[in-house]
Amino acid sequence: MPDADDIDALARSAAHGDPAALDALLLAVRPEVLRLCARFLPNREDAEEACQDTLLALANGITRFEGRSSLRTWLHRLAANRARSTYRTLRRRCRLEAGGVPLPDRPDPRRTSVVAGTRLDLLDAFDAVRPDLAEVVALRDVLGLSYPEIAELLDVPVGTVKSRLHLARHQVRQQLDAESG
């Protein structure tokens, strides 16, 4: 991926309506977006779908990019939200296609890697907590953003990020414990 300054310059140009800059931006960030989505979704095709949704959201929302944070930070938020949304959509679709046959609550360990099963459990746990809490824990614990980056992205004080993260981790842990017990 090109360096952050080049990406931010492309983002600024795209935000001001330059279609060539938008095309170059989407091409430049696609590998990073796919990597971010794959941190949530263990199946390559699912990560690809979330990546496409993220790039579409980026293209549709680029005019709202104000540059308060780096594009990379904003992209992390978009990718986290789109990956979680893709998971919910896939889970709903799977339930509909099952035609009333109950789905297994937990991934089959004979067909799912431990890492993949853990990610699916985590996504289910995220859905059980408030969206603002799920977002903070996803940005920090899955995507590895710093407290200041999250605070800037969410436009809240660092202390609020820390308190939300503490509460989110507690609730996610409770949810994971309930699922495994």
Side-chain angles (χ1 to χ4, degrees):
M1 189 163 126
D3 75 16
D5 291 337
D6 292 340
I7 294 295
D8 286 343
L10 282 173
R12 282 190 300 278
S13 294
H16 288 98
D18 181 346
L22 178 60
D23 288 345
L25 176 66
L26 294 174
L27 187 63
V29 300
R30 187 183 187 290
E32 175 72 5
V33 170
L34 181 57
R35 187 185 66 73
L36 293 171
C37 291
R39 293 187 72 179
F40 285 94
L41 300 163
N43 181 291
R44 172 83 182 188
E45 290 82 18
D46 297 345
E48 288 275 357
E49 185 173 330
C51 176
Q52 291 303 315
D53 288 348
T54 302
L55 294 174
L56 182 61
L58 173 62
N60 288 335
I62 193 65
T63 57
R64 293 186 307 273
F65 178 66
E66 298 170 355
R68 286 184 304 136
S69 60
S70 73
L71 181 81
R72 178 187 163 273
T73 303
W74 189 54
L75 202 54
H76 277 74
R77 184 179 194 185
L78 280 176
N81 289 336
R82 293 298 166 190
R84 289 174 35 232
S85 177
T86 297
Y87 176 72
R88 283 191 297 273
T89 300
L90 292 169
R91 189 155 175 91
R92 231 183 352 265
R93 188 182 314 151
C94 188
R95 284 191 174 127
L96 288 173
E97 290 173 1
V101 175
L103 298 174
D105 287 333
R106 314 231 348 118
D108 182 347
R110 294 168 298 188
R111 294 186 295 143
T112 307
S113 75
V114 172
V115 171
T118 302
R119 279 191 242 164
L120 296 176
D121 291 345
L122 187 59
L123 286 167
D124 285 337
F126 283 168
D127 278 348
V129 301
R130 285 189 347 230
D132 62 324
L133 299 179
E135 183 173 36
V136 169
V137 78
L139 292 170
R140 176 70 180 158
D141 292 344
V142 179
L143 297 182
L145 292 183
S146 69
Y147 294 119
E149 285 176 314
I150 297 168
E152 183 179 3
L153 185 61
L154 301 180
D155 198 24
V156 298
V158 171
T160 301
V161 170
K162 289 180 179 180
S163 65
R164 284 183 187 173
L165 186 59
H166 176 75
L167 182 57
R169 285 176 175 162
H170 177 74
Q171 289 182 8
V172 166
R173 195 173 308 121
Q174 283 183 319
Q175 189 64 31
L176 290 171
D177 289 345
E179 289 175 5
S180 66

